[in-house]
Amino acid sequence: NMEMKDLFEKVMQKSINMALATSVDNKPNVRVVTFAYDPARAGKVFFTTFNRNQKVKEFAENPYVACMPIPESPEADAQVRIFGTVQKSSVSLDEIIAIIAKKYPGNADTIKEGGSMMDIYEICFDEAYVTAGMNPAEKVNV
């Protein structure tokens, strides 16, 4: 459905933060992270994190994650849910900073300040679920 694919792209471009859920030993955990999405790299969502924090330990124990871009307003056109696997990314920090800076310039500076304490991770997925209004979620292949 092209309309749902367009809504997916719109949400991914406009949203700055996403809720990122992990689960270890059947104990879920969720946090908010700033993310980067580049349509040229469909099927990947990028985010930075301090390399010694709890979520990195959780990724090592269970790479299956769920994430949901947080709408910037209550009147958002749609919601997107993504399920995939997370891994350390080979994309350069500068490339990710450039994507993030387009929508949230202040966060790019924070990432630069983190320097060697920051790592880039990517969530790999091949489908997303888009919910528009009161309609049931529709699967979108990416």
Side-chain angles (χ1 to χ4, degrees), residues 39-54:
R41 292 187 176 96
K44 293 184 189 260
V45 175
F46 301 92
F47 62 96
T48 59
T49 187
F50 287 100
N51 47 30
R52 293 196 176 134
N53 70 16
Q54 180 63 33

Side-chain angles (χ1 to χ4, degrees), residues 67-129:
C67 65
M68 180 179 187
I70 299 169
E72 293 306 302
S73 81
E75 294 85 34
D77 298 316
Q79 292 184 346
V80 170
R81 289 178 297 127
I82 295 168
F83 302 90
T85 56
V86 66
Q87 64 191 26
K88 205 167 174 182
S89 182
S90 60
V91 175
S92 79
L93 188 60
D94 288 340
E95 288 180 76
I96 299 307
I97 289 172
I99 296 167
I100 289 174
K102 287 179 191 169
K103 47 185 181 177
Y104 187 23
N107 191 258
D109 294 335
T110 303
I111 295 169
K112 284 180 192 171
E113 288 169 20
S116 64
M117 295 182 296
M118 301 293 275
D119 283 332
I120 302 165
Y121 280 82
E122 60 189 38
I123 299 167
C124 303
F125 63 101
D126 46 23
E127 58 191 29
Y129 295 85

Side-chain angles (χ1 to χ4, degrees), residues 6-61:
D6 290 344
L7 280 173
F8 168 80
E9 294 292 339
K10 185 176 180 183
V11 168
M12 297 304 286
Q13 293 300 329
K14 286 178 91 176
S15 302
I16 294 169
N17 296 309
M18 69 179 178
L20 173 64
T22 54
S23 180
V24 174
D25 296 328
N26 291 318
K27 293 180 184 143
N29 191 2
V30 67
R31 74 279 289 153
V32 173
V33 297
T34 300
F35 76 97
Y37 176 75
D38 177 2
R41 292 187 176 96
K44 293 184 189 260
V45 175
F46 301 92
F47 62 96
T48 59
T49 187
F50 287 100
N51 47 30
R52 293 196 176 134
N53 70 16
Q54 180 63 33
K55 72 174 112 29
V56 172
K57 294 174 187 156
E58 292 174 9
F59 299 159
E61 290 190 46

